[in-house]
Amino acid sequence: MSMTHVFPTYERFPFEPISGNGVVITDNNGQDYLDFTSGIGVCSLGYQNTKVQNAVQVQLTKLWHISNLYENHLQESVASLLVGDEDKMVFFANSGTEANEAALKLARKATGKTQVLSFHHSFHGRTYGSMSMTGNPGVQAGYAPLVPDISFADYNDDASLAAITDDLAAVILEVIQGEGGVIVGDQDWLHKVQDKCQATHTLLIIDEVQTGIGRTGYKFAYQGFGLDPDIVTSAKALANGLPVGAMIGKSKLGAAFGPGSHGSTFAGNPLTMAAAEAVLTQLTPSFLEQVQTKSAVIWDTLNKFDSLDAVKSVSGKGFMVGIHLAEAVPVNSVIQELQKKGLLTLSAVGNTLRLLPPLVMSEDDLSSGLQTIYETLSEK
Ligand SMILES: *Cc1c(COP(=O)(O)O)cnc(C)c1O
């Protein structure tokens, strides 16, 4: 790379994706890649999804921006698609971290309490509130002082329940910790957390930025765990690539978020709302059923990975997979080897090879990508 004028906050692979179609990405050298990343869990409906593309193109010819000073039927439509038949309301943001900021602000304002409990290995974003709730010291390094009154406990550990007291405004968690290593929440433990929250008038915030919008075969992964959070945050796949975030809360919290209490210039603009509407209208029960059927194929194939020397264990749910590699097999070298074989994959904390394929990928493509990974790892 020659002279750069971009801050070096990202380590970049030495090629540039320039077009995408369906589940295939093409780079500046003309090489094609089968995509097992969806961006980072964003383009879940694949590249150039016809309905999203058409909706955005139509909206481009009407109005891109006018502010939140006027009525906006697209926001109403996306909000009602997000809440379904539940008594909930939505605040729109532009990203995952902003959705979590909104959740933190609402939780403090609605409860009149300040303390928040989060978990080690969590990831909630990079702005001050969300970063302060992120259980990864590397993400916070050098940025002290952080937002006060935020503490951390061990995930999936009954001992952590004692930290949920009447002093808390909220508990925030992911039902599957994504960036932190694809760590799946234990269903019984999650219910104990929820029960303790209810008993202590603590709001339960579930961060569905990565797990939501069909990733595990449900609109939101917490539905598969039978949970009933007070606040849910969404972003990543919500507009299939246009920047959007959403904070969904029970309607009883609405009084704390009156006019002037929170806002954003760009959030909920007609262009991203048109994209989000086109995403959510494709997220039908039959689409989600197909995701679940294809998930069974993924997890059947992954069963045989456990026996490989290079693999310590495999974790995840649906189209969200973590392959935990042995120390002798650095994940970044595996990712680069797979790139040479025409396959894009991701990493997560703990030498984890992370897979987030588009939900529209066929069983054949899923099988062939997993076979490539299996062969590559069996040579280690
Ligand atoms: C990616 C992610 C975020 C942050 O989203 P941004 O859009 O990058 O701000 C927050 N929470 C979780 C669980 C995520 O995976």
Side-chain angles (χ1 to χ4, degrees), residues 40 94-98 100 123-126 174 176 178-179 207-211 233 235-236 244 354:
I40 305 178
N94 304 286
S95 63
T97 197
E98 282 181 52
N100 286 328
F123 183 80
H124 299 298
R126 301 279 192 169
E174 302 151 88
I176 305 171
E179 304 299 316
D207 178 345
E208 292 265 2
V209 169
Q210 188 162 153
T211 49
T233 54
K236 288 197 166 84
V244 68
R354 180 168 46 143

Side-chain angles (χ1 to χ4, degrees), residues 24-157:
V24 175
I25 286 287
T26 305
D27 77 7
N28 53 329
N29 302 311
Q31 186 179 343
D32 287 340
Y33 303 86
L34 185 60
D35 175 39
F36 267 53
T37 70
S38 312
I40 305 178
V42 168
C43 302
S44 290
L45 299 181
Y47 304 91
Q48 300 192 38
N49 177 274
T50 310
K51 288 187 174 128
V52 177
Q53 201 140 326
N54 285 345
V56 172
Q57 270 161 0
V58 166
Q59 192 58 43
L60 268 174
T61 66
K62 292 184 183 171
L63 186 73
W64 304 11
H65 178 83
I66 187 60
S67 86
N68 278 307
L69 297 173
Y70 311 95
E71 285 186 5
N72 186 326
H73 77 280
L74 286 165
Q75 286 185 15
E76 293 298 337
S77 169
V78 174
S80 76
L81 288 162
L82 280 170
V83 307
D85 55 12
E86 294 185 281
D87 188 14
K88 293 184 172 178
M89 303 182 115
V90 179
F91 175 84
F92 288 107
N94 304 286
S95 63
T97 197
E98 282 181 52
N100 286 328
E101 292 290 334
L104 174 60
K105 289 178 74 172
L106 178 60
R108 283 186 167 173
K109 195 153 188 282
T111 62
K113 301 187 272 185
T114 60
Q115 294 187 34
V116 173
L117 182 72
S118 179
F119 293 95
H120 298 297
H121 303 297
S122 61
F123 183 80
H124 299 298
R126 301 279 192 169
T127 51
Y128 259 93
S130 302
M131 173 179 67
S132 300
M133 298 191 292
T134 288
N136 178 341
V139 169
Q140 300 174 337
Y143 297 122
L146 301 177
V147 172
D149 287 359
I150 295 168
S151 56
F152 294 89
D154 289 330
Y155 192 70
N156 278 344
D157 186 348

